[in-house]
Amino acid sequence: LYRGASTPTASGVLEPLVRLAAQRRAQASFLYVEVGEDQGTRQSFDLNLYKAELRMKDVQPFIDALGRHFRCPEGHLAAVTRPIQDHALGHVSAGFDRHGREFTTIYHEVKSLPP
């Protein structure tokens, strides 16, 4: 999906995140879907990581790195993710939209997991 990109992509952050999930639950299989359009530049993927049983606090370093990659204002993502640190990591979606702009979306469970 990122092969041949002309600028640095989030793949350098997402690959280690996926490795962490795979190490956490080596026997789990994660559902992966790619989506693309024949007549456009839209290409993306979605990876369901619920089976990794990671909490958002486990992936905070990756979220911080994504913030730097996408040039988010310092502290912006931390303010958003602080209240959801104990929520389960859900899906990671990323790729390029119809205009060729890169994106990454991280989904999480809506409530905290039990300790």
Side-chain angles (χ1 to χ4, degrees):
L1 182 74
Y2 289 109
R3 194 171 305 149
S6 59
T7 59
T9 65
S11 64
V13 176
L14 297 174
E15 287 176 24
L17 188 153
V18 172
R19 275 192 223 103
L20 172 67
Q23 290 169 351
R24 179 66 66 95
R25 293 286 309 272
Q27 303 305 318
S29 58
F30 304 113
L31 182 62
Y32 175 83
V33 177
E34 278 191 17
V35 178
E37 293 179 347
D38 292 335
Q39 307 235 341
T41 56
R42 182 173 181 266
Q43 292 184 326
S44 61
F45 71 87
D46 182 85
L47 182 60
N48 180 325
L49 295 173
Y50 278 105
K51 290 182 181 179
E53 298 179 356
L54 291 167
R55 294 173 189 256
M56 293 299 289
K57 64 183 168 190
D58 299 325
V59 298
Q60 188 64 50
F62 302 103
I63 294 171
D64 294 340
L66 286 168
R68 289 188 296 277
H69 172 74
F70 287 107
R71 296 186 177 105
C72 294
E74 185 70 31
H76 178 77
L77 288 178
V80 172
T81 58
R82 194 173 301 117
I84 59 168
Q85 290 295 298
D86 286 321
H87 294 205
L89 171 67
H91 293 247
V92 174
S93 296
F96 300 94
D97 70 11
R98 289 184 176 102
H99 304 286
R101 296 175 297 208
E102 185 183 17
F103 71 91
T104 299
T105 307
I106 296 183
Y107 299 90
H108 62 88
E109 191 60 58
V110 295
K111 59 184 177 180
S112 295
L113 293 172

